[in-house]
């Protein structure tokens, strides 16, 4: 169980660490307004999602499932575990249905900005949506982390 817990915490670090640092670099690039830097950054955000967020996510799912089964935790009723799973599911839907399509759009629009030298209003709109939904998709895992550590109910 100690190895599973270690791997679960490592998954959490990969997952949360990447989504927080990716947002930092993305916002920083947008503030600077340089088309080349923005394009590199949005490409690297997507790359980092594949390199860090996805492996972290897989570690969380596999180790969390194994620890819940070994620990005999119930999924009946609303408790810290079921609340965490609900929030985790909402986070996944946000990433798959909203954030990844926004990231792809920002990559496409930032590539166009390289060609014409101007960051478009369309890019700025997608970026604003990405910021709003990204904040939500970052806060939810932080609540999950709190539930996992404190087991408040």
């Amino acid at each position: 169980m100690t190895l599973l817990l270690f791997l679960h915490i490592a998954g959490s670090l990969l997952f949360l660490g990447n989504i927080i640092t990716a947002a930092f670099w993305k916002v920083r690039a947008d503030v600077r307004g340089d088309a080349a830097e923005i394009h590199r950054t949005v490409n690297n955000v997507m790359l980092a999602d594949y390199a860090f967020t996805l492996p972290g996510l897989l570690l969380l799912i596999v180790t969390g499932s194994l620890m819940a089964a070994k620990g005999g935790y119930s999924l009946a009723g609303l408790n810290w575990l079921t609340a965490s799973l609900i929030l985790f599911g909402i986070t996944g839907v946000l990433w798959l249905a909203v954030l990844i399509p926004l990231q792809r759009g920002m990559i496409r629009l930032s590539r166009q900005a390289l060609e014409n030298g101007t960051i478009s209003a369309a890019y700025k709109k997608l970026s604003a949506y990405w910021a709003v939904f990204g904040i939500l998709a970052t806060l939810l895992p932080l609540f999950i982390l709190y539930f996992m550590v404190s087991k408040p109910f």
Side-chain angles (χ1 to χ4, degrees):
M1 191 76 128
T2 303
L3 177 61
L4 288 176
L5 181 58
F6 170 78
L7 292 173
H8 196 69
I9 292 169
S12 176
L13 289 171
L14 284 170
F15 183 78
L16 281 169
N18 189 60
I19 62 177
I20 291 168
T21 56
F24 171 81
W25 291 112
K26 163 78 175 54
V27 169
R28 189 166 186 253
D30 282 348
V31 167
R32 292 178 119 164
D34 177 65
E37 182 178 354
I38 288 171
H39 185 65
R40 272 191 312 276
T41 301
V42 294
N43 272 315
N44 284 328
V45 165
M46 186 69 88
L47 177 62
D49 280 343
Y50 290 121
F52 302 107
T53 305
L54 186 57
L57 175 69
L58 294 173
L59 275 173
L60 286 170
I61 292 169
V62 170
T63 59
S65 299
L66 291 172
M67 287 190 303
K70 284 186 176 194
Y73 291 108
S74 173
L75 296 177
L78 185 62
N79 57 42
W80 63 271
L81 183 56
T82 56
S84 296
L85 290 172
I86 291 167
L87 294 178
F88 199 64
I90 293 169
T91 301
V93 168
L94 281 173
W95 278 101
L96 292 172
V98 179
L99 291 168
I100 290 175
L102 287 172
Q103 285 176 208
R104 288 186 176 146
M106 288 185 299
I107 290 169
R108 181 180 44 80
L109 292 170
S110 66
R111 186 179 307 112
Q112 290 174 0
L114 284 176
E115 295 168 4
N116 63 27
T118 316
I119 305 299
S120 68
Y123 172 87
K124 291 176 183 177
K125 182 179 178 180
L126 291 185
S127 183
Y129 284 131
W130 186 86
V132 170
F133 287 101
I135 288 169
L136 183 57
T138 301
L139 290 176
L140 293 177
L142 290 173
F143 282 115
I144 295 168
L145 180 62
Y146 172 76
F147 290 161
M148 291 289 155
V149 171
S150 66
K151 298 173 181 47
F153 54 97

